[in-house]
Amino acid sequence: MIVHAASGPQNCLVVNDWVCPLYLQTRAEPLLAAVREHLYLTVVSVVLGAVLALPLAVLAHRVRRARALTLGVTTVLYTVPSIALFFLVVPMLGLSAATVITGLTLYTLTILVRNLLVGLDGVDAEVLDAARGMGLSPGRMLWRVELPLALPAAMAGLRVAAVSTVALTTVGAIIGYGGLGTVLVRGLSANFHAEVLTAAVLCVLLALVLDVVLLLAQRAVTPWRRTA
Amino acid sequence: MNVVAEVAAWFADPANWSGSAGIPVLLVQHLGYTAAALGLAVALAVPLGLVLGHTGRGGFLAIQVSNIGRAVPTLAVLTILVLMPPPFQRSTLSALVAFTLFAIPPILTNTYVGMREVDRGAVDAARGMGMSGLQVLRRVELPLAAPLLMNGVRQAAVQVFATVSIAAIAAFGGLGRILTAAVGGVGGTDVAQLIAGALVIAVLAVAIDALLALAARAADPVARARRERSSSRVVELPVDHAGQGGLA
């Protein structure tokens, strides 16, 4: 910012460099707080989305009428821009972190339901016949056969949802709950280059780290696919 | 508080339909940005995807571009461009660059995947008939890849439309302005205006998606041939003639 120009030595904060180690040193605390908020908003939304997506996908898979309805609603929700999704829930929740989480949850839900459905639909009919022949009840068949086989597709959806949600969380800045997005907007209004670039890079890093974590989790829960 | 009545009142207020912050002006801005960025992205990504798909090389590139595209926040790209020296700053150029960047990944990946999923048998047959590489691309691969390609354009259109809405946070124009104005107003947050703005954006996005879904259907030569065979009535639909250039 220009305020610094009158006094102090010529450091990267004063000349407003894009890359500034001094910025990282002096603003580590608020930056970490923003990362924590970002991670919190993202993880809560994705977990909530996954918890809600599971019964919806199973219902859509089992009941014909529920299928058309679920697919229709998730397609429309997916099409609605996130920023609009956030504000359509404002009357219920006001301007709070819950608003952002609800919007993001709805968004992840659309991705997760579709991927789970693809996974469930992809289960080999012969495998189901064999399971039925072994005398498995529908409930046990779901838990022991269908869901494990749908896991790769579901995990792929979870990765897409997580990565997209990290990026979308920034939009929450418009109501003050955007994690690194709030830092971005603050940096923009202060014309603070280092702050903007740092927040942007941290966003992408966060997305990549989450993606790698989920990839490792995917390998851990689907050991039979490891050779592929 | 009756939100529905307040939102209805907002839509009924003529002040919201006139002037530089009125719905018509913002809508034209929004659609203008969306169309321009989409056009640019198609011009860049479709030829690249066709070449990559035709030669079968660079699939990794196409997929990676798409993955990275998902991880980069729109807001971050816009903010960085606004703080760049001229000719960027808060200009139409910055907006177009950001919007186009977000439209490229879905178009590129879908074009590439569409090309790769073309039946190898059809390509071999075309070659056996003595078609050149370019003829195979134009008369066999492109028509067969058209449905997925159009699907990519459809995804990109919805994505750009959403991105333009977000651009208002970085003080660009478009319908997102209705939202930022409602939050940043002097008299506190105008909830009715927030809902109204969100509704306008949501309804338009769904409408654009539906329109392009129709266009994608019309561009599918296999489905079209099937429709024409099964019922002569369908041929009278104007959409049916629109996409025939690729086959001629």
Side-chain angles (χ1 to χ4, degrees), chain A residues 55-207:
Chain A
L56 279 177
V58 170
L59 188 73
H61 181 62
R62 290 276 164 95
V63 185
R64 225 153 199 274
R65 277 211 196 125
R67 181 188 193 85
L69 186 69
T70 312
L71 278 180
V73 171
T74 52
T75 305
V76 169
L77 276 181
Y78 187 73
T79 308
V80 172
S82 51
I83 193 169
L85 215 49
F86 286 179
F87 289 128
L88 287 175
V89 295
V90 164
M92 282 87 85
L93 300 164
L95 299 179
S96 63
T99 307
V100 177
I101 289 177
T102 307
L104 291 174
T105 301
L106 284 174
Y107 185 80
T108 58
L109 194 64
T110 63
I111 300 176
L112 293 170
V113 167
R114 288 197 218 179
N115 272 273
L116 255 172
L117 252 183
V118 168
L120 288 172
D121 289 347
V123 175
D124 204 333
E126 284 177 21
V127 174
L128 294 181
D129 274 347
R132 217 172 279 130
M134 283 170 68
L136 258 60
S137 67
R140 280 174 70 92
M141 214 156 87
L142 181 69
W143 280 110
R144 304 283 296 273
V145 180
E146 293 183 272
L147 284 178
L149 285 175
L151 211 50
M155 287 301 291
L158 202 62
R159 284 173 63 196
V160 171
V163 170
S164 316
T165 306
V166 171
L168 276 182
T169 301
T170 55
V171 177
I174 193 173
I175 52 176
Y177 295 92
L180 290 162
T182 313
V183 180
L184 272 176
V185 171
R186 198 172 56 214
L188 176 67
S189 56
N191 189 30
F192 193 168
H193 292 174
E195 184 156 64
V196 166
L197 188 64
T198 308
V201 170
L202 282 174
C203 270
V204 177
L205 278 180
L206 206 59

Side-chain angles (χ1 to χ4, degrees), chain B residues 140-154 211-225 227-228 238-247:
Chain B
V140 179
E141 289 178 308
L142 186 57
L144 289 175
L148 261 181
L149 194 160
M150 278 306 298
N151 209 25
V153 174
R154 183 180 158 199
L211 261 176
L212 286 171
L214 284 179
R217 253 180 56 138
D220 185 344
V222 179
R224 189 171 54 225
R227 279 200 300 276
E228 279 169 11
V239 280
D240 238 47
H241 302 286
Q244 275 179 353
L247 274 180

Side-chain angles (χ1 to χ4, degrees), chain B residues 9-24:
Chain B
W10 189 89
F11 278 115
D13 187 351
N16 293 321
W17 293 88
S18 62
S20 62
I23 294 176

Side-chain angles (χ1 to χ4, degrees), chain A residues 25-72:
Chain A
Q25 281 167 30
T26 54
R27 311 287 209 288
E29 195 79 352
L31 212 49
L32 271 177
V35 171
R36 270 197 299 271
E37 185 184 72
H38 205 109
L39 205 57
Y40 168 76
L41 293 170
T42 305
V43 171
V44 170
S45 306
V46 173
V47 169
L48 273 176
V51 168
L52 292 171
L54 184 62
L56 279 177
V58 170
L59 188 73
H61 181 62
R62 290 276 164 95
V63 185
R64 225 153 199 274
R65 277 211 196 125
R67 181 188 193 85
L69 186 69
T70 312
L71 278 180

